[in-house]
Amino acid sequence: MEKIKIAIQKSGRLSEKSLNLLTECGIKVSNGDRKLRTDARNFPMEILFLRDDDIPQYVEQGVADIGILGENEVWEKDKEVDIIEKLGFGNCRLSLAIPKDEQYTNINYFQGKRIATSYPKILSNYFKNKGINVKIEELGGSVEIATGIGLADAIFDIVSTGSTLLMNGLKEAEAIIRSEAVLISNRNLSPAKTVLLEQLLFRIKAYKNGQGKKYVLLNARNEVIPEIVKLLPGMRSPSILPLADEGWSSVHSVISDDDFWEIIDELKRHGAEGILVVPIEKMIQ
Ligand code: PRT
Ligand code: ZN
């Protein structure tokens, strides 16, 4: 049987989360000995562990059929691959940063400046569109020290919490684009591999749908049920089941983590009892 080959980061910020995503999709992978490649135990999939920089090229060439990596790398490498799905982890932004004592005005500040980055393609496209001339110094890593050692006037790098900038005496001047981990695919998958990709995608979506949501069960007197139902959006509408106790019903629904506490307080105020909150593992729509 044909296997689908997926490339994930060997060691880095996305490695563990990529493996975890496969696990959540019910795909068992053992990588105890950190091999370069391994087979999944219960899904026709081969996993290749690579540097993220190499993944776009390997997927374009078909060495791997699909891959997981940061969108930023996909844009920078600009290979012939398709972005299939955003995965909701590895979130960050690509920003221009300058020494903290500099007075920042607007994007024209960068006219004629030297900017150090590991993302020269994204950066030069950005400034070309703006009609601003800059000199780009390409660095493989440790971009944040470039201004301190006099290599550049500014940097363009990944920011998540901002503490790296702070530690290096820099401040964020402009956030240019947001990025997160994505699933990419080769453009000429065989029909069998396309089916496997569809299966994987179905599972990924079910997992993503369940993220950030809770299943809520509660009991209430029948008179207050209409009020309670108004508080619960649910996937369609909440399910209402009669209880053995006459005059009482049980209500089941899905609520998002964001408004969780607010809704629970409201439910209690409206007479809900025995509220049970359960994590959702997968949600198939
Ligand atoms: O060895 P390999 O080439 O595979 O790995 P790598 O060193 O190129 O990449 P890695 O593991 O550092 O990052 C992989 C991907 O994670 C990136 O391409 C991004 O899509 C994503 N990601 C998310 C980040 C960050 N957050 C992040 N904070 N990648 C890097 N950083 C670095 C950033 O470069 C800077 O040095 O963290 C620092 C900034 O973080 P804060 O929190 O201090 O702002
Ligand atoms: Zn890399």
Side-chain angles (χ1 to χ4, degrees):
M1 188 182 188
E2 211 170 358
K3 286 180 195 155
I4 191 162
K5 288 180 278 179
I6 186 170
I8 65 172
Q9 200 187 17
K10 185 170 165 57
S11 64
R13 284 169 198 267
L14 304 179
S15 313
E16 210 170 302
K17 287 186 170 145
S18 305
L19 277 174
N20 179 58
L21 180 68
L22 295 180
T23 307
E24 290 291 348
C25 291
I27 299 172
K28 293 195 175 125
V29 183
S30 56
N31 185 34
D33 43 4
R34 289 266 155 205
K35 286 184 294 194
L36 187 64
R37 63 210 295 169
T38 186
D39 283 327
R41 276 185 272 146
N42 56 351
F43 192 85
M45 176 184 277
E46 181 175 346
I47 299 96
L48 310 178
F49 300 94
L50 299 169
R51 282 202 58 187
D52 64 352
D53 310 58
D54 299 332
I55 295 177
Q57 185 180 342
Y58 283 154
V59 170
E60 182 188 66
Q61 293 169 343
V63 174
D65 302 308
I66 55 176
I68 295 177
L69 75 165
E71 251 174 324
N72 49 303
E73 286 297 337
V74 184
W75 294 322
E76 181 62 28
K77 297 298 184 287
D78 200 19
K79 299 290 180 191
E80 300 280 314
V81 298
D82 289 331
I83 294 183
I84 303 290
E85 180 77 7
K86 295 193 186 237
L87 301 174
F89 60 88
N91 296 65
C92 56
R93 54 193 188 272
L94 283 162
S95 296
L96 285 160
I98 58 175
K100 69 174 189 315
D101 296 331
E102 284 284 309
Q103 197 72 274
Y104 183 67
T105 45
N106 56 43
I107 199 70
N108 293 313
Y109 169 94
F110 292 100
Q111 177 68 45
K113 295 274 200 291
R114 285 176 308 156
I115 308 174
T117 187
S118 307
Y119 298 93
K121 205 163 198 169
I122 297 174
L123 188 63
S124 67
N125 284 338
Y126 175 78
F127 279 115
K128 215 173 280 163
N129 276 334
K130 297 262 172 204
I132 295 171
N133 281 316
V134 296
K135 177 153 190 341
I136 296 174
E137 303 283 356
E138 184 174 350
L139 294 181
S142 303
V143 171
E144 64 278 2
I145 65 167
T147 59
I149 60 173
L151 184 71
D153 306 307
I155 68 162
F156 176 63
D157 200 10
I158 294 175
V159 179
S160 65
T161 61
S163 66
T164 303
L165 295 184
L166 202 65
M167 277 188 328
N168 288 280
L170 295 163
K171 65 180 176 189
E172 195 170 355
E174 297 279 348
I176 305 299
I177 32 173
R178 290 183 187 284
S179 168
E180 67 184 88
V182 289
L183 182 70
I184 60 166
S185 169
N186 175 276
R187 293 192 173 160
N188 302 298
L189 291 188
S190 69
K193 286 178 177 181
T194 304
V195 169
L196 292 174
L197 174 57
E198 288 302 322
Q199 279 178 16
L200 176 67
L201 209 52
F202 177 80
R203 296 181 187 192
I204 289 176
K205 285 181 177 162
Y207 169 65
K208 273 176 60 188
N209 273 333
Q211 291 293 95
K213 297 200 181 81
K214 296 275 185 289
Y215 193 72
V216 182
L217 304 90
L218 60 89
N219 298 332
R221 298 198 62 83
N222 290 344
E223 319 67 280
V224 300
I225 293 287
E227 284 299 304
I228 286 193
V229 165
K230 275 192 220 150
L231 298 170
L232 294 168
M235 269 202 283
R236 288 225 165 74
S237 64
S239 319
I240 301 164
L241 312 163
L243 290 184
D245 258 353
E246 192 127 338
W248 284 77
S249 295
S250 165
V251 181
H252 297 201
S253 189
V254 175
I255 62 179
S256 109
D257 278 346
D258 293 339
D259 20 64
F260 174 76
W261 288 112
E262 216 171 296
I263 291 183
I264 295 294
D265 286 343
E266 282 290 295
L267 289 172
K268 275 171 51 194
R269 269 196 338 106
H270 284 81
E273 290 181 16
I275 304 175
L276 201 61
V277 180
V278 201
I280 294 176
E281 204 173 291
K282 307 281 171 355
M283 194 160 119
I284 294 145
Q285 276 169 323

